[in-house]
Amino acid sequence: MPKILLIDDDPAFCLMLRSFLQRQGYQVETAATAAEGLRLLKNTTFDLVLTDFRLPDKDGLELLPQIRVLAEEVPVVLMTHYADIRTAVRAIKMGVFEYITKPINPDETLLVVKNALRRKAASSETTAPTALADKQFVRGRSPQAGHIEELLALVGPTHLSVIIEGESGTGKEYVARMIHAHSKRQHKPFVAIDCGALSKELAGSELFGYVKGAFTGAVKDKQGQFEAAQGGTLFLDEIGNLPYEVQVKLLRALQERKVRKLGSTVDLDVDVRVIAATNEDLVKAVANGLFREDLYHRLNEFKINLPPLRAREGDVLLFALHFLQEANQQLERQVLGFDTAAEQALLHYSWPGNLRELKNVVKRAVLLAKTAMVTVREFPAEIIADTPTQASAVADTTPPVPLDPAETDLKSVKEKNEKELILSMLERVKYNKSKAARLLNIDRKTLYNKLRLYNIDA
């Protein structure tokens, strides 16, 4: 019987979720604080950790590395409100298996728990070279995507270190994985690590590992990521955020192909290809003394610049449909696609968060969809507000016709869409205002103000 550790400071919520999971055949132990959860992890073996993002003594980003020290292979599922989704996505890059939004949906929660336990069981039976097969990707069709494909095929078979530049969410890890897939190291491990999520102390132990007793809490030897990637590829995401002191050790590892675990006196030989990614200007960081110039030149044997999603004409709907299929599988839904208005909204939005934002929007829309097609009512307000009115699409050569001001005034259209979205959400949650506010990503006060503004009797 799988054993789950549930960490949440809400007693009523803990009791409800614990009872639900026990009825599904799981053993569940609960903790109200991060410290209590870590104590249980130290003394008991668990198959899964379910933790709230906001705890009285720590948040999820602080807790995750400490969980990894005590239970490296145990999957972690983060529970969070919609307002923390961007942070939750960052936590996934740190190794969180998945996040669940509160108020939780029991069926969705059960599905995530089963998938996490299934992945844990599978990981113990598969080897590192098959890890790439778990990733499902779709190639873009824009000219920019074609150019990137050419570069990947060119640099992949070489042993060159690569720097991938691009805005956050443009798919830098995907590009790194494709370089690995094109290389002679493709049957060796691909290991990814987010340097932006590492403190000075944690960076050293994650990259190079440590020996038992190296510091408080080091109860056993830990393999570093360089060692884990032996013979393969190490992907260092957000390399510009790597602490300056650790940059020195990284340079030595690249030049001498040797690493030393924290607390050890013995060097380990490593054969690893390094691919680095950044959304910052490393040349400027070098000029400002924030990034070592010698390390920059050691990494910059080949550079690839990824264009933002808004500059990739023709790729938005392609990726949206791919993410819709993913969301259908994850949420056990059967949404077929996007209606015409929803497609136009996707095409006209600027996507400052790029592919990552698009994936989140589509996943949320699939969860909220009432019909077989996603409509604009399932999109966040900022996407609806950014969509041009039907009147603006009329060609200049079209003879003028009388227009209803309510249909051409942008403010009126935005208010109409917002009102419809609020009404739809209230109906979906059976007029539970707290739940509606969370799903709409606004606070209760804002929701009440809008109810008065639009004369909604709820």
Side-chain angles (χ1 to χ4, degrees):
M1 186 180 294
K3 197 166 188 177
I4 298 173
L5 173 60
L6 172 60
I7 310 175
D8 197 294
D9 62 333
D10 184 339
F13 176 80
C14 266
L15 179 61
M16 178 273 295
L17 186 54
R18 179 180 184 176
S19 300
F20 171 73
L21 292 173
Q22 286 176 335
R23 288 197 299 272
Q24 307 303 319
Y26 300 107
Q27 294 184 56
V28 183
E29 289 195 31
T30 62
T33 65
E36 185 181 354
L38 292 171
R39 180 181 58 78
L40 288 172
L41 269 175
K42 190 173 183 179
N43 299 322
T44 309
T45 300
F46 290 93
D47 299 293
L48 174 68
V49 175
L50 273 168
T51 178
D52 190 28
F53 174 71
R54 298 191 181 279
L55 295 167
D57 49 345
K58 292 183 189 297
D59 65 32
L61 298 184
E62 296 174 307
L63 178 59
L64 181 62
Q66 295 175 290
I67 292 177
R68 284 285 167 260
V69 169
L70 297 172
E72 186 174 2
E73 302 302 324
V74 175
V76 179
V77 174
L78 199 65
M79 298 178 292
T80 182
H81 294 287
Y82 272 103
D84 295 319
I85 279 185
R86 290 187 182 275
T87 306
V89 172
R90 183 181 173 192
I92 286 179
K93 295 178 68 177
M94 292 176 62
V96 167
F97 174 77
E98 183 59 279
Y99 67 85
I100 303 171
T101 51
K102 289 184 174 182
I104 67 167
N105 178 299
D107 293 334
E108 178 191 359
T109 302
L110 183 59
L111 177 64
V112 171
V113 167
K114 288 181 177 179
N115 287 341
L117 292 171
R118 189 180 302 121
R119 178 70 63 86
K120 180 178 183 294
S123 65
S124 62
E125 300 173 2
T126 58
T127 56
T130 64
L132 190 60
D134 293 337
K135 297 289 182 179
Q136 297 297 320
F137 295 111
V138 59
R139 287 181 169 87
R141 297 174 184 169
S142 65
Q144 297 90 337
H147 176 63
I148 296 297
E149 291 284 345
E150 293 176 2
L151 295 179
L152 297 184
L154 181 66
V155 74
T158 72
H159 296 288
L160 297 177
S161 298
V162 181
I163 293 180
I164 305 171
E165 292 184 339
E167 294 179 6
S168 179
T170 49
K172 296 187 285 293
E173 182 174 343
Y174 162 68
V175 171
R177 287 184 179 274
M178 293 307 296
I179 293 174
H180 176 74
H182 282 91
S183 75
K184 298 175 183 179
R185 300 171 180 264
Q186 60 182 296
H187 298 298
K188 296 294 184 178
F190 177 94
V191 177
I193 184 168
D194 181 10
C195 299
L198 301 178
S199 64
K200 174 184 173 182
E201 296 76 14
L202 187 60
S205 63
E206 280 294 316
L207 288 174
F208 311 117
Y210 55 76
V211 297
K212 181 179 179 180
F215 53 85
T216 303
V219 295
K220 62 179 181 179
D221 290 356
K222 174 181 170 60
Q223 185 182 56
Q225 302 296 1
F226 264 94
E227 191 178 357
Q230 180 68 15
T233 302
L234 179 62
F235 174 58
L236 302 176
D237 198 8
E238 304 305 344
I239 186 72
N241 293 324
L242 194 66
Y244 197 87
E245 296 81 357
V246 181
Q247 293 176 29
V248 180
K249 296 181 180 180
L250 176 58
L251 179 62
R252 177 178 181 268
L254 295 176
Q255 291 179 336
E256 302 180 14
R257 295 186 176 274
K258 294 180 182 291
V259 297
R260 179 177 297 182
K261 292 186 176 184
L262 298 183
S264 175
T265 58
V266 180
D267 288 338
L268 299 175
D269 293 326
V270 290
D271 173 24
V272 173
R273 181 187 193 177
V274 173
I275 301 176
T278 180
N279 59 10
E280 299 180 4
D281 186 344
L282 287 185
V283 174
K284 185 177 180 179
V286 168
N288 293 334
L290 300 176
F291 198 83
R292 290 184 63 95
E293 184 175 7
D294 46 5
L295 177 58
Y296 171 75
H297 291 301
R298 179 63 184 79
L299 293 169
N300 190 30
E301 293 181 325
F302 194 88
K303 184 179 290 185
I304 298 177
N305 291 284
L306 298 186
L309 183 58
R310 59 185 172 276
R312 298 173 60 169
E313 184 177 352
D315 282 350
V316 173
L317 291 182
L318 180 69
F319 283 111
L321 288 171
H322 171 69
F323 293 143
L324 181 138
Q325 293 171 357
E326 281 190 347
N328 274 334
Q329 293 177 352
Q330 294 171 4
L331 304 177
E332 295 186 327
R333 303 298 300 273
Q334 294 181 338
V335 179
L336 300 179
F338 305 89
D339 69 12
T340 303
E343 286 187 352
Q344 290 302 310
L346 292 174
L347 290 172
H348 284 93
Y349 185 58
S350 60
W351 299 110
N354 293 293
L355 290 170
R356 188 176 297 124
E357 182 183 14
L358 175 61
K359 182 176 182 178
N360 291 341
V361 167
V362 171
K363 185 176 182 180
R364 176 179 182 271
V366 169
L367 180 63
L368 296 177
K370 293 182 176 180
T371 65
M373 303 294 286
V374 170
T375 70
V376 293
R377 289 191 297 272
E378 284 83 60
F379 288 157
E382 62 268 19
I383 294 180
I384 299 173
D386 201 40
T387 305
T389 64
Q390 185 176 3
S392 66
V394 178
D396 294 338
T397 56
T398 303
V401 295
L403 296 171
D404 183 351
E407 296 179 352
T408 59
D409 182 81
L410 182 59
K411 182 178 180 181
S412 298
V413 171
K414 178 181 177 181
E415 290 178 349
K416 179 182 178 182
N417 288 333
E418 193 171 65
K419 180 178 180 179
E420 290 178 354
L421 180 61
I422 292 174
L423 284 169
S424 173
M425 186 61 68
L426 286 170
E427 291 174 2
R428 187 175 184 82
V429 299
K430 298 181 180 179
Y431 291 87
N432 183 321
K433 297 185 186 64
S434 296
K435 186 178 294 186
R438 292 193 193 101
L439 290 173
L440 290 167
N441 198 17
I442 58 177
D443 55 44
R444 283 170 57 90
K445 182 178 179 181
T446 302
L447 177 61
Y448 280 113
N449 289 338
K450 291 185 180 295
L451 293 178
R452 286 194 294 271
L453 175 65
Y454 299 135
N455 295 318
I456 298 175
D457 185 12

